[in-house]
Amino acid sequence: LVLHIFLLLTAMLLLAPFVAFAAAIIDITKPPYNAVSGGIIDNTRCIQQAIIDGSLRQELVLIPEGVFLSGSLFLESNLEIEFVGQVRGIPPPENWKKLNKSEANTTWESYPSIYDPDLEQIIGGFSHAALINGGRCLEVSNTPYDYGDQCLKWHKLTNITLTGTSSATHVNGSGQLWWNECDLIVKTAAPWASRQCPDTALFSSQRPKLVHLMHVDGVHIKKLNVCDSPFWNIVPQYSSNILVEQCTVFAPYDSPNTD
């Protein structure tokens, strides 16, 4: 018996480096998150809570097969998200381009205001949050200069991994619904320059980005398929140690400024 136990322990030690232990997984469709596929129900709170828990417990967050409608999501440190299915952005309100700032603050709950240091401070310095966001400003100076980073307190992040593990589109910005409201974006407009959506730094008139990663140290984005961003697609900003590989970005040739 002693010999058998000794041989068993020896075998376990020899095989240990080759044994893959399954990491804990947070499936957004399982309790207590209960996200619903189908592209109709707003799953923002479900997915956001899964992100918070995944960061705290260092467990993988799984977006399973299906289409999950969501507004802005805010990542946290030490987080890995695996996309099998799709996160699709909530459509914009009707006539979004014509909303004034006060109306936008109450209408745009799905894409809240977020500080962007590259915008002119004299006219706000805030834009709508992206569908997927990295670090964010917690406190902004009350006496800003025209340009530059006027944030007094950043919530900075470390170690973010976003991985696609299927051939599906993993992040869909529902861009067409935003582009339709862009002035001069019509098929009959001939010169490319005349078909640019006239975005400004004003909160009510700038389309949200798709993946906007501000102040993240350690970013790995792999095999992520994204499409139809309202504005720019994958935007690392003031971040470091970034690896983006084998990703695919889809956008119609005539979509406005979807770099």
Side-chain angles (χ1 to χ4, degrees):
L1 178 61
V2 174
L3 178 61
H4 288 167
I5 294 175
F6 172 77
L7 292 174
L8 179 60
L9 291 174
T10 302
M12 291 175 65
L13 289 172
L14 290 172
L15 291 173
F18 305 98
V19 176
F21 293 93
I25 295 176
I26 294 177
D27 184 332
I28 64 168
T29 63
K30 306 297 184 183
Y33 312 103
N34 301 315
V36 179
S37 177
I40 298 175
I41 295 176
D42 182 353
N43 293 289
T44 308
R45 291 185 179 180
C46 306
I47 302 174
Q48 185 62 56
Q49 188 59 54
I51 287 172
I52 293 170
D53 292 347
S55 170
L56 290 174
R57 306 201 298 251
Q58 296 191 26
E59 297 177 356
L60 183 145
V61 176
L62 174 66
I63 310 295
E65 186 175 355
V67 176
F68 299 91
L69 200 66
S70 178
S72 292
L73 299 170
F74 295 88
L75 305 180
E76 295 292 345
S77 293
N78 303 315
L79 177 70
E80 181 177 0
I81 303 180
E82 179 180 317
F83 292 81
V84 177
Q86 178 186 122
V87 172
R88 178 176 295 176
I90 290 176
E94 185 178 0
N95 297 325
W96 69 272
K97 196 72 176 173
K98 302 174 180 64
L99 296 174
N100 63 40
K101 187 169 183 179
S102 61
E103 289 173 332
N105 283 332
T106 57
T107 307
W108 289 68
E109 293 180 359
S110 299
Y111 298 90
S113 171
I114 190 170
Y115 173 74
D116 189 333
D118 279 351
L119 300 179
E120 288 184 272
Q121 307 308 306
I122 55 175
I123 55 175
F126 290 83
S127 62
H128 291 106
L131 181 56
I132 297 178
N133 300 270
R136 55 195 180 276
C137 181
L138 303 179
E139 183 182 356
V140 183
S141 170
N142 292 323
T143 57
Y145 296 95
D146 288 356
Y147 288 96
D149 187 354
Q150 308 302 321
C151 181
L152 301 178
K153 184 178 181 181
W154 279 100
H155 177 58
K156 298 182 179 181
L157 307 182
T158 58
N159 302 327
I160 300 292
T161 300
L162 307 176
T163 306
T165 57
S166 69
S167 59
T169 297
H170 304 121
V171 185
N172 184 331
S174 302
Q176 187 64 54
L177 300 170
W178 303 84
W179 308 330
N180 288 345
E181 288 295 327
C182 288
D183 301 338
L184 303 178
I185 306 302
V186 291
K187 293 183 181 298
T188 55
W192 170 252
S194 69
R195 298 165 63 193
Q196 296 295 318
C197 188
D199 292 293
T200 70
L202 289 174
F203 173 62
S204 61
S205 59
Q206 184 173 101
R207 297 163 288 159
K209 304 173 183 69
L210 196 60
V211 181
H212 188 196
L213 302 177
M214 288 195 291
H215 284 290
V216 183
D217 181 15
V219 176
H220 187 193
I221 304 177
K222 183 177 182 179
K223 294 184 178 180
L224 197 69
N225 302 325
V226 304
C227 79
D228 293 350
S229 173
F231 198 16
W232 298 337
N233 281 276
I234 300 175
V235 187
Q237 183 179 10
Y238 304 113
S239 294
S240 57
N241 298 310
I242 303 165
L243 175 60
V244 180
E245 57 179 335
Q246 298 175 280
C247 296
T248 305
V249 176
F250 297 94
Y253 77 94
D254 58 350
S255 57
N257 202 16
T258 54
D259 306 31

